Amino acid sequence: MAKRAASTPLNMIGAVLATCLVAASALTVTYELTRERIIEQERAAERAALDAVLPGTGSIESAGELVAPATEAAGSVTLQGVYRAYDAAGALSGWGVRVAPRGYSGPVSMVVGLDRDGSVLGVSIITMSETPGLGTKIVTQEGWIEQFVGWQGADIDASAREFDAIAGATRSSAAVRNGVTAAGRVYAEVLSAEEGGAQ
Amino acid sequence: MREWIAVFKRGISIDNPLTVLMIGLCATLAVSTKLEGALFMGLAVIFVLGMSSIIVSSIRSLVPEQVRIPVFIVIIASFVTVVDLTMKAFLPDIYTFLGVWIPLIVVNCMILGRAEAFSYHQPVRLAIADGLGMGLGFSIVIVVLAAIRELFGSGEIVFLGARLIALPEWYRPPGVLLLFPGAFLVFGFISALAKWYNTRTSGRVVQTDAHCTIEEGVR
């Protein structure tokens, strides 16, 4: 067998330290090289999700100035963005709210589309890391996520009283519900007041 | 060179990580519902296994035995992160499908197992043969498994958006094939087939070789 470095403290510290240094620099380079592309891909995914939950809209714009009050309204649920949707004629037609409620294993990042009256038009999950086969049913179970359509943002707690959780994915289901209720609260406290002013 | 080929072939046939050694099964069973996902999973594993074998083998005399595991893990995790970031940037759809299983390659016992059992004791050229052979052995099995499950479980094979094969309309795909029991059933048949093939073609070699897989190359 080839001669091996002895397990002295100095050798051990040196080996681990050198490995970590080389690994860290290699990863920094990869991260820098891929960062732009990843941000671009994430933007495209977000755009696709917004298009899916806000059918028939002409253009969608980020409403950056509303993020601060909306974050407060969302409470314990992380808010990731607020979007205005305009119809083909250029009039405000609805809202997109991107939230990331806490799932079973990490945040479930999703977009909730609301029309001008605060009625939920659709929910689309962008990224999540739920248990494969169980928690992932929140995405794969057909028809499940449509149950949120029609929930009223102005009185979201009344809508949230009845809700079907998926067996085996209770906490993941609850995360999606929490996201929708947070979006409803954002509508009730921030967006509904904004609507009159925007026009 | 004959030794190199022997080591390389061993990973595909008599020491196949999936059908014979039965390691790294959980990711295999989970992602083998779609051919395209399985193919990229296989490529990711070949890359990580090949690269980590080269690095582990080339620094093996510098790494003291007591800290070898942390060093292996850092090396493997780095290559997995490279794959993870690259896939996220250039293949977002496939990344969404493979999801958590790409980062989980780090803890796939197959890769740490080869570093520990082979690369740490062998010269670089044999470590490359082992890494590539094992990776290819893994890929072949996972791709075959996924092709069978996708074709008979969903009635068609879709690859990068294009429809490769579709079964006739009257075929009603049994959904169980796409679920976990289906994965075990199909895998069981593949494993039995591999066993039958191995004993037929190199039955005697399996018996004598299995005990001295590592020492064989050292000499």
Side-chain angles (χ1 to χ4, degrees), chain A residues 20-64:
Chain A
C20 289
L21 275 178
V22 174
S25 5
L27 288 183
T28 314
V29 173
T30 322
Y31 176 77
E32 283 302 324
L33 287 176
T34 52
R35 194 177 51 168
E36 295 277 310
R37 286 282 310 211
I38 290 174
I39 293 173
E40 223 171 88
Q41 301 284 9
E42 269 165 13
R43 246 185 239 138
E46 182 183 79
R47 177 68 216 217
L50 280 168
D51 282 339
V53 297
L54 293 163
T57 47
S59 66
I60 295 169
E61 276 172 27
S62 173

Side-chain angles (χ1 to χ4, degrees), chain A residues 75-156:
Chain A
S76 60
V77 174
T78 314
L79 186 107
Q80 293 182 320
V82 181
Y83 304 87
R84 280 197 183 88
Y86 299 97
D87 59 20
L92 184 75
S93 63
W95 301 92
V97 180
R98 183 166 179 187
V99 283
R102 202 125 78 109
Y104 183 74
S105 47
V108 177
S109 187
M110 54 192 244
V111 167
V112 181
L114 302 136
D115 70 7
R116 286 193 58 173
D117 304 320
S119 176
V120 173
L121 293 173
V123 180
S124 175
I125 294 168
I126 302 176
T127 58
M128 49 124 197
S129 45
E130 302 302 280
T131 319
L134 294 172
T136 46
K137 283 188 188 163
I138 58 174
V139 176
T140 54
Q141 184 143 318
E142 262 175 56
W144 181 78
I145 208 147
E146 270 88 65
Q147 67 170 307
F148 299 103
V149 174
W151 282 28
Q152 295 302 316
D155 191 11
I156 200 80

Side-chain angles (χ1 to χ4, degrees), chain B residues 13-14 196-209:
Chain B
S13 56
I14 55 169
W196 172 79
Y197 178 80
N198 281 341
T199 34
R200 259 188 72 116
T201 53
S202 48
R204 281 145 294 155
V205 188
V206 179
Q207 289 312 316
T208 51
D209 231 13

Side-chain angles (χ1 to χ4, degrees), chain B residues 149-157 163 165-168 171-173:
Chain B
R149 287 179 72 194
E150 188 178 2
L151 182 62
F152 294 104
S154 66
E156 58 180 19
I157 292 183
R163 215 178 202 215
I165 320 173
L167 290 174
Y171 179 77
R172 291 264 197 81

Side-chain angles (χ1 to χ4, degrees), chain B residues 19-182:
Chain B
T19 56
V20 179
L21 304 181
M22 303 246 174
I23 49 180
L25 276 182
C26 77
T28 309
L29 299 181
V31 303
S32 58
T33 52
K34 278 172 94 179
L35 179 69
E36 104 189 336
L39 186 71
F40 281 98
M41 183 74 181
L43 291 178
V45 167
I46 292 180
F47 174 77
V48 174
L49 201 50
M51 294 307 280
S52 61
S53 291
I54 294 174
I55 304 288
V56 166
S57 170
S58 49
I59 64 168
R60 69 188 191 284
S61 61
L62 302 170
V63 179
E65 260 174 50
Q66 287 192 359
V67 292
R68 68 188 191 282
I69 301 286
V71 168
F72 296 166
I73 290 284
V74 171
I75 293 168
I76 296 167
S78 308
F79 285 115
V80 170
T81 312
V82 168
V83 172
D84 190 65
L85 289 173
T86 315
M87 257 194 189
K88 213 186 227 177
F90 297 100
L91 299 161
D93 292 340
I94 294 179
Y95 185 81
T96 317
F97 171 73
L98 292 176
V100 70
W101 296 107
I102 290 291
L104 279 181
I105 297 176
V106 176
V107 289
N108 193 318
C109 41
M110 180 174 70
I111 294 167
L112 186 62
R114 291 328 288 175
E116 168 79 9
F118 198 94
S119 317
Y120 192 51
H121 306 279
Q122 301 287 353
V124 179
R125 69 188 176 87
L126 288 184
I128 295 174
D130 182 70
L132 292 181
M134 284 280 163
L136 197 64
F138 173 89
S139 305
I140 291 172
V141 174
I142 193 174
V143 163
V144 169
L145 182 60
I148 295 174
R149 287 179 72 194
E150 188 178 2
L151 182 62
F152 294 104
S154 66
E156 58 180 19
I157 292 183
V158 178
F159 186 75
L160 294 175
R163 215 178 202 215
L164 287 190
I165 320 173
L167 290 174
E169 284 289 316
W170 50 260
Y171 179 77
R172 291 264 197 81
V176 70
L177 271 180
L178 292 179
L179 301 175
F180 293 120

